[in-house]
Amino acid sequence: MEEGPSGGLNVRLPLADGAERLGVVELNMSALDGLKLRRCRTTALLLALIITSKRTYSDTIAQRMRTRPMHLPTEMVRAEM
């Protein structure tokens, strides 16, 4: 958590599927209490579940996560996982 430039709060939460890190979600809000924090964590969990479920049907997420192009043999090995 950190204070944003407009006086609000920026909350960054991990998107994870078990031990695999999928990314980070940043939420901006004016105030934060225990209930809002719990809802933010639930939102991050649901986003991670949606991303995980959609990965098997689309390459869009995998393409965005890559830092360099993959070669065909590497694609085939990763597809078996």
Side-chain angles (χ1 to χ4, degrees):
M1 279 184 279
E2 67 181 14
E3 191 171 335
S6 62
L9 290 172
N10 295 337
V11 179
R12 291 184 190 95
L13 296 165
L15 296 174
D17 177 32
E20 182 182 6
R21 294 180 182 151
L22 303 172
V24 176
V25 63
E26 181 176 350
L27 303 169
N28 303 311
M29 57 196 64
S30 58
L32 184 66
D33 59 7
L35 179 61
K36 279 188 182 178
L37 182 58
R38 192 167 49 239
R39 287 180 177 169
C40 290
R41 288 179 178 161
T42 302
T43 302
L45 175 65
L46 289 172
L47 284 172
L49 289 172
I50 291 169
I51 290 169
T52 302
S53 68
K54 296 296 180 185
R55 278 195 304 190
T56 57
Y57 301 107
S58 174
D59 290 335
T60 304
I61 295 170
Q63 289 171 348
R64 301 239 182 224
M65 291 175 71
R66 291 184 186 152
T67 57
R68 58 183 183 207
M70 252 191 224
H71 301 289
L72 181 60
T74 309
E75 288 278 357
M76 293 173 70
V77 169
R78 298 240 11 189
E80 292 179 10
M81 296 177 132

